[in-house]
Amino acid sequence: MSYYTRKEIDELHTDIATLAKGITGGGSDEERVISTIEHCLHNGYERRRIAEKLEKFLDAKQSSKLTDKLQDKLDEYRRKGKKRNGGAETGADVPKKSRFDMKEKSSDVKTTPELTPLVAASMAAASINAATVAAPAVSTTGLNSTQIKLMMVNAQREIEERKRALNNLKAKDPILASVPQIGLPVALATQALAKKTVPEDSEKAKKIAELQAQIRAKLSNLIQPPQVQDRPKPLILDEDGRTIDKSGRTINIPTLTPTLKANIRAKKREVFNKSQVQSERHTQQEESLKFFDDRIAQKPTLRTKRSLRFHEPGKFQQLAERMRMKAQLEKLQNEISQIARKTGISSATKLALIAPKQDTPDDVPAMEWWDSVILAQDMNTMDEVGKISIRHSAITNLIEHPTQMKPPNEPLKPVYLPVFLTKKERKKLRRQNRREAWKEEQEKIRLGLVGPPEPKLRISNLMRVLGTEAVQDPTKIEAHVREQMAKRQKAHEDANNARKLTAEQKSEKKIRKIKEDTSCGVNVSVYRIRDLQDNASKKFKVETNAKQLHMTGTVVLFRDCCVVVVEGGPKQQKKYRRLMQHRIKWEEDMVKGPDGQDIPNTCVLVWEGTSQRRHFGEIKFKVFPMEKMAREFFQKHQVEHYWDLAYSGAVLEASADN
């Protein structure tokens, strides 16, 4: 397969994209297949090589099919190109022009003005005549051999350029094919050479004769048909990256050996890496062959045929009937709800749907457990009179008192109220403690266990304590006093740092002050908010403050009834109650009422009390589209009465607004 230029590949791009889309089905590999085909055409790959490249993205069958279609498209493109060129280049394939020739050709065409074909042909012939006549005319004026050669080269270049422009005009207009463009320049050139003046010396005459022969030979070559040039052979590489010919034999290409030490080391490193890769590849092949059993025949994958599945008759008719019935039912429900809202029946109906919590079982036993003690056998056993048989020996005049148990909400240890002293009492107690510590220290000094402390020197009492010593060397004494003062200051700061709490101790102390002991009972508060779903700032405050106060609970978001349940100690509840009822301005937000009008948002404390234990974990938001799902959530945590109380209040509030 021959090489293709970028211009030709751009012309073939639409056909290549159509073929790739038909094979891949417009998948993600379409662009990669197109780029691979264009790369192979630009590098002159053969059909087999292109199929191997495409097998990276397609299977073998699809790649061979795509390659066949591509070959047909390329043959068709070549035939069209030959038809466009016409009779100028019929028969053998014309060699591809290089990019530099194309650039020169395009530049010549751009600079040529818009003329008719006949006028352009005549101008080209005239330019060739001028070039051929000018060459010998200049040579008559006593030139050396180098200048003559240079002149001939320039004349030949101009002749070639004019000839190329004339061929382009001939290809555009078939009328010029019958006009003889070559004979006229040749005749004019020979006439000009014949009319030239005879040189004085014989050497110049010989040179002029040589020039005439060269010009005749060049002009005769122009008349001959162009010879087909051999194209460069395509570069074929095998799997290991070695260069091979068409028969598959390796071709040894001479490589330049490096001379620098750094390049030699890099070459050795590259050879070593290649040998390592080859050894790893051989070991992998040996391992794969080690566990391969050629006796087991692999069955090819068979694609099962899909059978036609028909819908049952009347299926879509049933679906249509269901949709119609559903639409009619929704319409009827809307009409009933509107009538009920006007009459006030809807609120009563919603309240009736709220099921009360059943703590006691429905079935009542025929005989209680305390009656079984005095019965003879059971309730069916009768005595002589016809009454239930009773053991009279079990009945005495003694009264059985049950064992007294401690209430669950009372602490195990007695709690004593702390005693707070007055300011005068605190001073007196501090004075006594300090005096006791001073006496103990004096006793140790008296017994010799501890040395006497140094006098507490300051700059103010320096002269009074030391006296004559301060007068003898005041600078030394002042330095000693300042050193003692710095030592006392450092001891004071070290004592403060020793008593200072660490960062972990500070956080633990803060949490300990916020948290409260809820082992004897948990305070619970239930709040009802009209709308909390579309208010992000309020939701953030509700959640963040509950987490900062280390409270548990939940937030249930439902249409026209959002419930917030928080569990904690009394101090925590007090702070959170202030947040919900005073700090957050609920009235600023306007929400949609039951009839669609804008009403201010509200937050109501539904209930607060104590519970034996916590029913929720860390506070989280829950969104429920139906009232039944919200009640089931609370029922799962055994506090469905929270929802019943809050939702009934929301229903009554909505009926009152209407």
Side-chain angles (χ1 to χ4, degrees):
M1 194 172 287
S2 58
Y3 294 85
Y4 286 85
T5 61
R6 287 296 178 188
K7 182 178 179 181
E8 294 173 341
I9 291 173
D10 291 339
E11 293 176 359
L12 290 168
H13 180 76
T14 307
D15 297 333
I16 295 171
T18 306
L19 294 177
K21 186 175 182 181
I23 295 297
T24 59
S28 59
D29 295 333
E30 181 181 351
E31 294 295 330
R32 289 188 284 179
V33 169
I34 294 171
S35 61
T36 303
I37 293 173
E38 292 180 353
H39 177 71
C40 294
L41 293 178
H42 184 65
N43 293 330
Y45 284 2
E46 296 180 348
R47 180 188 176 283
R48 178 182 59 82
R49 186 66 172 168
I50 295 174
E52 291 176 357
K53 290 286 186 180
L54 292 176
E55 285 180 0
K56 296 180 181 179
F57 314 104
L58 307 172
D59 54 6
K61 186 176 180 181
Q62 290 179 340
S63 62
S64 63
K65 185 178 180 181
L66 180 58
T67 310
D68 294 338
K69 291 185 177 180
L70 179 63
Q71 185 68 38
D72 297 338
K73 286 289 182 182
L74 294 177
D75 294 340
E76 184 180 355
Y77 178 77
R78 287 201 197 96
R79 288 195 296 271
K80 290 181 180 179
K82 290 179 181 179
K83 289 181 181 179
R84 285 196 300 266
N85 293 333
E89 297 174 356
T90 58
D93 294 339
V94 179
K96 298 292 180 180
K97 298 293 183 180
S98 64
R99 299 176 185 176
F100 304 102
D101 294 341
M102 293 175 67
K103 290 180 180 178
E104 292 176 2
K105 183 177 179 181
S106 62
S107 63
D108 293 339
V109 173
K110 288 180 182 177
T111 55
T112 304
E114 295 293 334
L115 299 173
T116 61
L118 292 174
V119 176
S122 61
M123 289 179 66
S127 62
I128 293 174
N129 298 336
T132 54
V133 172
V138 177
S139 64
T140 58
T141 59
L143 299 175
N144 56 16
S145 60
T146 306
Q147 292 177 348
I148 292 172
K149 289 180 181 179
L150 183 61
M151 179 186 66
M152 291 301 300
V153 169
N154 294 334
Q156 291 173 7
R157 187 183 297 112
E158 291 180 2
I159 291 169
E160 290 292 337
E161 291 177 357
R162 300 301 180 182
K163 179 68 170 59
R164 194 179 297 112
L166 192 61
N167 287 336
N168 293 334
L169 295 173
K170 179 181 176 182
K172 291 181 180 179
D173 194 352
I175 300 174
L176 295 176
S178 60
V179 179
Q181 292 90 358
I182 303 300
L184 181 62
V186 173
L188 292 174
T190 53
Q191 291 176 6
L193 291 172
K195 291 179 181 180
K196 68 179 182 63
T197 57
V198 180
E200 295 178 356
D201 51 351
S202 60
E203 292 180 359
K204 291 183 180 180
K206 292 180 181 179
K207 290 180 181 179
I208 291 171
E210 292 176 358
L211 288 174
Q212 291 175 1
Q214 290 178 2
I215 291 172
R216 290 193 189 95
K218 292 292 182 181
L219 294 176
S220 63
N221 291 335
L222 293 174
I223 302 172
Q224 296 177 0
Q227 298 179 358
V228 179
Q229 298 179 0
D230 294 334
R231 296 180 180 176
K233 296 181 180 179
L235 180 65
I236 305 174
L237 302 176
D238 60 357
E239 296 179 354
D240 298 332
R242 296 175 297 182
T243 307
I244 59 175
D245 56 4
K246 292 184 179 180
S247 61
R249 293 176 298 179
T250 58
I251 300 172
N252 295 324
I253 300 175
T255 57
L256 296 175
T257 56
T259 55
L260 294 176
K261 290 290 185 180
N263 295 338
I264 293 172
R265 285 196 294 270
K267 188 71 176 177
K268 290 181 179 179
R269 195 181 304 111
E270 184 180 356
V271 172
F272 178 74
N273 292 336
K274 285 184 179 179
S275 63
Q276 289 289 336
V277 172
Q278 290 178 357
S279 63
E280 291 179 359
R281 189 178 299 171
H282 287 308
T283 54
Q284 290 177 0
Q285 292 178 356
E286 291 176 359
E287 290 179 358
S288 61
L289 294 173
K290 181 180 178 182
F291 300 104
F292 176 71
D293 191 357
D294 55 354
R295 295 173 297 175
I296 301 174
Q298 294 182 353
K299 294 182 179 180
T301 56
L302 298 176
R303 182 179 178 184
T304 57
K305 294 184 178 180
R306 298 180 185 174
S307 59
L308 296 175
R309 289 188 238 172
F310 298 98
H311 293 287
E312 296 180 2
K315 177 181 177 182
F316 294 101
Q317 293 179 0
Q318 293 177 2
L319 291 175
E321 288 293 333
R322 288 179 188 174
M323 293 174 66
R324 292 191 195 98
M325 292 293 293
K326 188 176 180 181
Q328 291 178 2
L329 184 61
E330 289 180 354
K331 184 178 179 182
L332 185 62
Q333 286 179 352
N334 291 333
E335 292 177 357
I336 293 172
S337 61
Q338 290 177 2
I339 296 171
R341 193 180 294 114
K342 291 178 181 179
T343 56
I345 303 173
S346 60
S347 60
T349 307
K350 290 181 180 179
L351 289 174
L353 290 174
I354 300 173
K357 184 179 178 182
Q358 296 179 357
D359 294 330
T360 58
D362 295 336
D363 53 337
V364 179
M367 179 180 62
E368 301 291 347
W369 62 271
W370 53 80
D371 294 334
S372 62
V373 180
I374 61 174
L375 292 177
Q377 291 182 358
D378 54 4
M379 298 287 291
N380 298 327
T381 305
M382 302 294 177
D383 57 1
E384 298 174 354
V385 186
K387 296 181 179 180
I388 298 173
S389 176
I390 298 175
R391 291 190 302 112
H392 295 281
S393 60
I395 300 174
T396 61
N397 57 352
L398 301 177
I399 300 173
E400 183 179 357
H401 295 279
T403 306
Q404 292 186 358
M405 299 177 67
K406 185 174 289 187
N409 57 352
E410 288 188 4
L412 299 176
K413 296 180 181 180
V415 179
Y416 299 102
L417 292 174
V419 179
F420 296 99
L421 302 177
T422 61
K423 188 175 182 180
K424 191 175 181 180
E425 291 173 342
R426 289 199 300 272
K427 284 185 177 182
K428 182 179 179 181
L429 188 62
R430 179 176 179 274
R431 189 166 55 249
Q432 291 175 356
N433 293 336
R434 287 170 63 86
R435 188 169 184 81
E436 290 293 332
W438 178 77
K439 285 183 178 180
E440 185 177 356
E441 187 179 358
Q442 291 295 324
E443 192 67 26
K444 288 180 181 180
I445 294 171
R446 193 176 296 112
L447 295 174
L449 300 176
V450 180
E454 296 180 358
K456 193 174 182 180
L457 297 175
R458 293 190 297 273
I459 299 297
S460 58
N461 63 356
L462 176 65
M463 297 300 295
R464 186 172 66 252
V465 174
L466 295 179
T468 56
E469 294 180 5
V471 176
Q472 291 176 359
D473 195 352
T475 305
K476 181 180 178 181
I477 296 301
E478 183 181 357
H480 174 68
V481 171
R482 293 191 181 278
E483 182 182 357
Q484 194 181 44
M485 291 170 62
K487 189 186 296 183
R488 289 198 304 268
Q489 181 71 17
K490 187 176 182 303
H492 174 70
E493 291 176 356
D494 292 343
N496 287 346
N497 292 332
R499 289 191 301 270
K500 190 177 181 180
L501 299 177
T502 61
E504 295 180 357
Q505 291 174 344
K506 283 182 180 180
S507 62
E508 289 177 0
K509 181 181 178 182
K510 189 176 181 180
I511 293 172
R512 189 170 59 250
K513 289 176 68 177
I514 294 174
K515 280 188 174 180
E516 297 182 57
D517 185 16
T518 56
S519 59
C520 298
V522 184
N523 291 61
V524 184
S525 296
V526 181
Y527 299 91
R528 184 185 73 247
I529 304 169
R530 191 185 294 272
D531 187 11
L532 191 60
Q533 296 186 7
D534 301 331
N535 203 328
S537 62
K538 302 289 193 301
K539 287 166 67 176
F540 175 77
K541 291 177 183 178
V542 168
E543 181 183 9
T544 306
N545 280 273
K547 289 181 178 180
Q548 288 176 351
L549 292 172
H550 300 280
M551 301 177 76
T552 58
T554 184
V555 180
V556 174
L557 304 178
F558 180 66
R559 182 181 63 256
D560 298 333
C561 181
C562 300
V563 181
V564 180
V565 180
V566 285
E567 301 169 336
K571 291 183 180 179
Q572 296 168 331
Q573 292 290 353
K574 183 179 179 182
K575 293 180 180 179
Y576 201 80
R577 190 185 311 114
R578 176 167 177 76
L579 169 76
M580 296 292 288
Q581 293 188 335
H582 297 284
R583 289 171 57 194
I584 299 179
K585 307 301 180 184
W586 301 101
E587 296 80 8
E588 295 177 353
D589 303 326
M590 303 301 290
V591 298
K592 295 290 184 180
D595 293 337
Q597 72 277 14
D598 291 339
I599 56 176
N601 198 4
T602 57
C603 176
V604 181
L605 177 62
V606 178
W607 177 81
E608 61 178 348
T610 57
S611 177
Q612 189 175 358
R613 62 181 181 86
R614 295 178 185 266
H615 294 89
F616 298 97
E618 186 179 1
I619 192 163
K620 292 181 181 179
F621 286 85
K622 299 286 183 181
V623 182
F624 296 104
M626 298 174 62
E627 184 268 338
K628 184 179 179 181
M629 297 172 64
R631 192 176 189 282
E632 287 177 355
F633 171 73
F634 281 98
Q635 190 174 6
K636 186 176 71 173
H637 292 276
Q638 300 177 357
V639 286
E640 62 271 17
H641 53 281
Y642 292 172
W643 173 257
D644 295 341
L645 196 59
Y647 188 64
S648 60
V651 172
L652 293 174
E653 185 178 356
S655 61
D657 292 342
N658 292 333

